[in-house]
Amino acid sequence: MIRPATPRKPRDATIAMINVIFLMLIFFLIAGTVASPLDPDLELVDTAGLEGREPPNALVLHADGALSFRGNSTDPTTYMAGHPEGPVRIVPDRDVSGPRLIEVTGSLRRLGASSVILVTERSLE
């Protein structure tokens, strides 16, 4: 007489899920400790009350797309005519349009700037 096959129990996926969660936990524990923390006794300088100023040798790209250098209006051609070829620093307004920024940096590169460096604000908070 042939016995009917006993139905197999479906595999429990709990063990696999626990393994994945454990590996993720280990990954995030290691990845979280890559950057060394700041010294707890260190007190950072508070610059919230200071007036922000652009570097004196930088072009300023205003929100309306206008360029200025040391307070005077300019354009990429005029600026590059009076400055040697080399890197150019630009301080863009945070509200300037992306296409205008790309247009200005492209013009500066075509006119002889070896590189265009964007000066930005960085915060630890």
Side-chain angles (χ1 to χ4, degrees):
M1 174 168 183
I2 300 177
R3 289 188 307 177
T6 57
R8 291 186 176 208
K9 287 173 116 180
R11 266 192 136 173
D12 191 13
T14 308
I15 299 296
M17 188 172 28
I18 290 172
N19 287 340
V20 169
I21 291 173
F22 179 71
L23 289 173
M24 288 174 55
L25 176 67
I26 296 295
F27 171 77
F28 287 115
L29 285 174
I30 291 172
T33 59
V34 170
S36 60
L38 290 173
D39 185 3
D41 297 330
L42 179 68
E43 291 186 32
L44 298 175
V45 176
D46 182 18
T47 60
L50 297 179
E51 179 183 337
R53 295 184 185 226
E54 69 275 1
N57 61 347
L59 278 170
V60 178
L61 183 57
H62 300 276
D64 62 356
L67 273 175
S68 66
F69 179 69
R70 294 185 179 162
N72 300 318
S73 293
T74 189
D75 60 77
T77 307
T78 307
Y79 176 80
M80 288 305 293
H83 293 84
E85 295 180 6
V88 175
R89 296 185 195 291
I90 295 182
V91 180
D93 187 279
R94 73 176 63 231
D95 295 327
V96 73
S97 70
R100 176 63 179 150
L101 180 60
I102 291 171
E103 175 189 341
V104 170
T105 56
S107 296
L108 291 168
R109 290 293 303 228
R110 281 189 300 280
L111 292 168
S114 62
S115 63
V116 177
I117 301 167
L118 294 180
V119 179
T120 61
E121 175 182 71
R122 182 175 179 201
S123 175
L124 289 177
E125 297 180 59

